Amino acid sequence: MQIEDNSFRNKVQKYYHHTANSYRRWGLDPENSELYSLHFGLTDGMDELTSDDNHNAIKRLTTEVLHRASIKEGMTILDAGCGTGTFAYQVTEDYPSTKVFGVNVSPDQLECAVQSNSSNQENPYFSIQDYHQLSF
């Protein structure tokens, strides 16, 4: 994959292209080895996190965000900068009648998001887009 280094968007794409293997090794979901994520979570003050603790911390954070966002069944949600799709999949699992659109400028991360869809569900929908210039 050839990426030109002439804009912020391309720099983001280049970063995720070069760090794709790190995302695949860190943050594995022990419940589903095809899902992973790399971001902060809510912990109970533990000093060191195992991969299981990390997964649980990420799940707690996602649950808290969903609760505070007042998401309801049937809503349409944009996951801007969706990364590997972990949040989008959690929304569709917790709220099956929601429609979730995940957009990201990184083809590498979206490829991972699509590959995580082991049940071949149609929702969430993923698209390579800059959330500052959406096609919808």
Side-chain angles (χ1 to χ4, degrees):
M1 175 173 163
Q2 183 117 357
I3 300 173
E4 293 180 30
D5 191 44
N6 62 357
S7 73
F8 181 74
R9 177 182 175 170
N10 287 340
K11 288 177 183 178
V12 171
Q13 289 175 326
K14 188 175 185 176
Y15 167 80
Y16 285 114
H17 178 71
H18 289 294
T19 60
N21 286 333
S22 296
Y23 278 83
R24 287 183 174 97
R25 288 191 305 268
W26 195 88
L28 290 174
D29 182 338
E31 296 168 14
N32 180 349
S33 64
E34 295 175 350
L35 289 179
Y36 52 89
S37 62
L38 180 64
H39 49 69
F40 296 101
L42 293 175
T43 67
D44 58 4
M46 298 172 284
D47 290 331
E48 293 185 31
L49 296 175
T50 66
S51 61
D52 283 354
D53 294 333
N54 178 59
H55 171 70
N56 291 331
I58 291 168
K59 275 213 162 291
R60 280 195 294 275
L61 176 64
T62 301
T63 299
E64 185 66 20
V65 169
L66 291 175
H67 172 74
R68 289 180 183 238
S70 301
I71 293 174
K72 307 263 187 286
E73 289 287 352
M75 289 179 132
T76 300
I77 297 168
L78 172 65
D79 186 358
C82 67
T84 61
T86 303
F87 183 80
Y89 283 112
Q90 186 66 48
V91 173
T92 59
E93 182 180 313
D94 292 353
Y95 303 93
S97 69
T98 59
K99 288 184 181 176
V100 180
F101 294 89
V103 298
N104 199 312
V105 297
S106 169
D108 295 297
Q109 287 201 321
L110 285 180
E111 180 182 330
C112 293
V114 171
Q115 288 175 353
S116 296
N117 188 1
S118 57
S119 62
N120 294 319
Q121 61 192 44
E122 292 183 20
N123 190 19
Y125 308 91
F126 294 106
S127 176
I128 297 174
Q129 291 191 56
D130 182 335
Y131 62 80
H132 293 115
Q133 301 171 340
L134 295 171
S135 64
F136 51 89

